[in-house]
Amino acid sequence: AETIAGTYPTPPGRPDAPPVRPREGVMSTVGLLLERGSVKLRQGGLAESKIVPTDPDVGTETEVALALVPYLVHPDPRTALAIGHGAGWTVETLLATPLAQVDVAEIEPAVLDVVEAYRGPLAVRRDPKARLHVTDGRLLLRQAAARGGTYDLVVSQPSHPWVPGAGHLFTRDAYHLARSALRPGGVFAQWLNIFNMTED
């Protein structure tokens, strides 16, 4: 199963299982590639997240920090919204805290299918605190804003700004909407790939 960029990985601990093949999603093609010792989640050809095959249940520092920093900054968080599931590290970190409820918005269902085929059952599907919404994250922000703000934390990890379905989460309107979705004292955190962008 060779590709130009790498090899389709076999689920860890199951050497007889077939490799995890890419899936054609609603928004893009989603797949996993084994590259330089890491399994990379790729969406539309772009790397979105990383899984270490020798320890597939330990998240990357960036994605874990995206959940922990806002959680630790807020004095008493109870509810959170995670926009984007990816490999699941940010969501799983939020679910590991004492938060009472974690809503998750993932616009591309193929992301969940591919990650689950490799890592096994996802926390977002089995943890009673999690509520998975296969939808645009802006919809949940609008609903929360219409109720006067329902989240203590909003953690957003959209794809790169130039990817279809992601650019609108980097706009001034989206930030105003996120603020309106928060309760008083709420915290918003967003991943931004400054390594591929000019300062302007």
Side-chain angles (χ1 to χ4, degrees), residues 23-30 42-45 108 110-111 163-164:
R23 311 271 168 100
E24 242 351 280
V26 176
M27 305 289 291
S28 64
T29 301
V30 181
R42 291 188 164 273
Q43 188 169 355
E108 178 53 76
V111 168
V163 172

Side-chain angles (χ1 to χ4, degrees), residues 60-74 77 80-82 88-97 99 102 152-157 187-191:
T60 63
E61 297 89 348
T62 302
E63 292 167 86
V64 170
L66 186 60
L68 284 182
V69 170
Y71 176 80
L72 294 172
V73 168
H74 194 289
L81 168 62
W89 309 130
T90 302
V91 170
E92 290 176 22
T93 302
L94 289 170
L95 289 171
T97 69
L99 286 166
V102 178
D152 297 309
L153 310 175
V154 173
V155 177
S156 182
Q157 51 182 346
V187 179
F188 172 79
Q190 180 163 336
W191 174 85

Side-chain angles (χ1 to χ4, degrees), residues 46-123:
L46 295 169
E48 300 285 352
S49 191
K50 180 171 78 171
I51 303 168
V52 179
T54 54
D55 205 350
D57 293 321
V58 174
T60 63
E61 297 89 348
T62 302
E63 292 167 86
V64 170
L66 186 60
L68 284 182
V69 170
Y71 176 80
L72 294 172
V73 168
H74 194 289
D76 186 26
R78 294 171 192 226
T79 60
L81 168 62
I83 300 175
H85 182 274
W89 309 130
T90 302
V91 170
E92 290 176 22
T93 302
L94 289 170
L95 289 171
T97 69
L99 286 166
Q101 178 182 315
V102 178
D103 285 0
V104 180
E106 174 55 61
I107 197 169
E108 178 53 76
V111 168
L112 301 163
D113 296 339
V114 166
V115 172
E116 194 161 46
Y118 184 76
R119 293 188 58 214
L122 298 174

